[in-house]
Amino acid sequence: MEIISTSRMKRSFSLVMIMIIFFMICGSTSSQLTVDFYRRSCPNVLRIVRREVINALKNDMRMAASLLRLHFHDCFVSGCDASVLLDGSDGEQNALPNINSLRGLEVMDNIKAVVENSCPGVVSCADILTIAARDSVLLSGGPAWKVLLGRRDGLVANRTGAEELPSPFESLDGIIKKFIQVGLNVTDVAALSGAHTFGFARCAMFNNRLFNFSGSDSPDPTMESMMVSDLQALCPLTDDGNKTTVLDRNSTDLFDNHYYKNLLNQKGLLASDQILFSSDEAQTTTKPLVEAYSSNTTLFFSDFVKAMIKMGNMSPLTGSNGQIRNNCGIVNSS
């Protein structure tokens, strides 16, 4: 009977462990997102989505900001699984941060229908939304980047999670904590907030700053006085709060760094915008980033792209998890 030496046993054990690690890495890599995920199964998907986003923007330039916001509100709740697109009274669309404010659902339905006509049952709604968000930024003058693909669609909405989305009324510390909880950081807070370089907001999202800020019986002192006067006229106390105005004054539809220049001049519309520069918490967290982005578009674009890729990678469903929905608003019947 052969006696196996200790050194030989160690070598055998080491080889086994290497093989296990190799297969673990290969197995996990095969289910990760890749830029060429649809290279064979739907090679024209990027072209199709781009064309449909262009058509949507021809009808409504505001739709670019709406599609980007839709992607953000999807990924922050249970990861990027298109759960925000699911219809139903108990869905994420009826959570307080989304009700009466989500736009672009019909655009997503249209893009999905065109993609399905070309590649039935192949491309997820989650991936379509991610591509559409990238194209919305690019077509508005912002940066380009390669979108990682391979997500599958979730089977359930998470209204409870949607109720906890970062709010315009939160403190900066509170917002940063919510970003950290999903794997993002302070730089991502500052960079992704730059998405407010285009789009609109309802009076209800900022009228707390116009008349009786924090019970002071006066406007928010961190809002520039002429801007206060303009917005008081637009959003009187007797109004229902549903009128809208641009998030980025003097640069409405362009994706640029003007948003940060506004913050330096106390012209941030939402409280959650201006606190990035003016709050006490910002002095050692986001204020230096705001100052840097305001004078360096390249840096803003670079950090924004990194943050978007990180956000798009938050807890994606891959492999056999989830499904490829035939209709973005409805889970496929079994």
Side-chain angles (χ1 to χ4, degrees), residues 48-265:
I48 293 170
V49 175
R50 175 75 57 84
R51 184 185 66 224
E52 296 307 315
V53 172
I54 289 173
N55 290 337
L57 300 192
K58 285 179 180 177
N59 293 324
D60 179 8
M61 271 303 296
R62 183 185 169 191
M63 189 53 64
S66 299
L67 290 172
L68 180 57
R69 181 174 185 261
L70 201 58
H71 178 52
F72 179 91
H73 281 222
D74 178 39
C75 293
F76 249 75
V77 181
S78 305
C80 307
D81 63 351
S83 57
V84 73
L85 302 179
L86 287 171
D87 299 329
S89 58
D90 59 345
E92 294 169 28
Q93 296 171 23
N94 287 302
L96 187 60
N98 292 331
I99 194 166
N100 297 325
S101 68
L102 280 186
R103 301 176 75 249
L105 298 171
E106 71 289 346
V107 172
M108 280 298 302
D109 287 340
N110 179 66
I111 299 174
K112 175 63 174 176
V114 178
V115 171
E116 281 293 304
N117 187 56
S118 178
C119 312
V122 172
V123 184
S124 68
C125 298
D127 275 348
I128 292 173
L129 181 52
T130 306
I131 299 167
R134 186 276 309 273
D135 288 351
S136 294
V137 171
L138 175 62
L139 294 168
S140 301
W145 66 93
K146 291 184 177 180
V147 178
L148 294 169
L149 301 169
R151 299 167 192 80
R152 289 167 65 84
D153 299 321
L155 303 178
V156 294
N158 181 1
R159 178 169 175 173
T160 301
E163 297 286 1
E164 297 302 318
L165 281 161
S167 161
F169 309 108
E170 280 188 83
S171 68
L172 180 56
D173 283 346
I175 291 171
I176 289 173
K177 286 177 182 176
K178 287 187 176 180
F179 272 67
I180 289 173
Q181 286 171 357
V182 295
L184 302 176
N185 58 34
V186 170
T187 300
D188 301 322
V189 172
L192 289 174
S193 294
H196 286 176
T197 187
F198 58 5
F200 286 65
R202 292 181 299 137
C203 291
M205 296 295 102
F206 58 83
N207 58 12
N208 65 307
R209 305 181 68 199
L210 303 181
F211 299 99
N212 185 28
F213 181 68
S214 297
S216 66
D217 205 30
S218 300
D220 185 344
T222 66
M223 182 181 282
E224 190 263 340
S225 59
M226 285 298 295
M227 184 171 174
V228 169
S229 298
D230 291 345
L231 295 177
Q232 285 177 336
L234 176 70
C235 310
L237 287 171
T238 54
D239 207 49
D240 62 4
N242 286 320
K243 290 179 183 175
T244 61
T245 191
V246 295
L247 283 159
D248 187 351
R249 290 164 73 89
N250 303 319
S251 181
T252 304
D253 295 322
L254 189 63
F255 195 99
D256 57 17
N257 70 336
H258 191 267
Y259 163 83
Y260 299 102
K261 296 179 180 182
N262 276 346
L263 300 188
L264 267 59
N265 294 307

Side-chain angles (χ1 to χ4, degrees), residues 281-325:
E281 306 102 302
Q283 304 311 302
T284 57
T285 54
T286 54
K287 182 178 179 179
L289 291 163
V290 169
E291 292 172 330
Y293 296 157
S294 70
S295 61
N296 190 333
T297 300
T298 301
L299 177 62
F300 163 48
F301 281 6
S302 175
D303 283 354
F304 181 82
V305 166
K306 291 174 186 174
M308 285 293 291
I309 293 172
K310 283 173 66 176
M311 186 177 75
N313 243 338
M314 294 194 310
S315 305
L317 297 174
T318 59
S320 60
N321 295 316
Q323 63 181 207
I324 305 298
R325 281 189 231 137

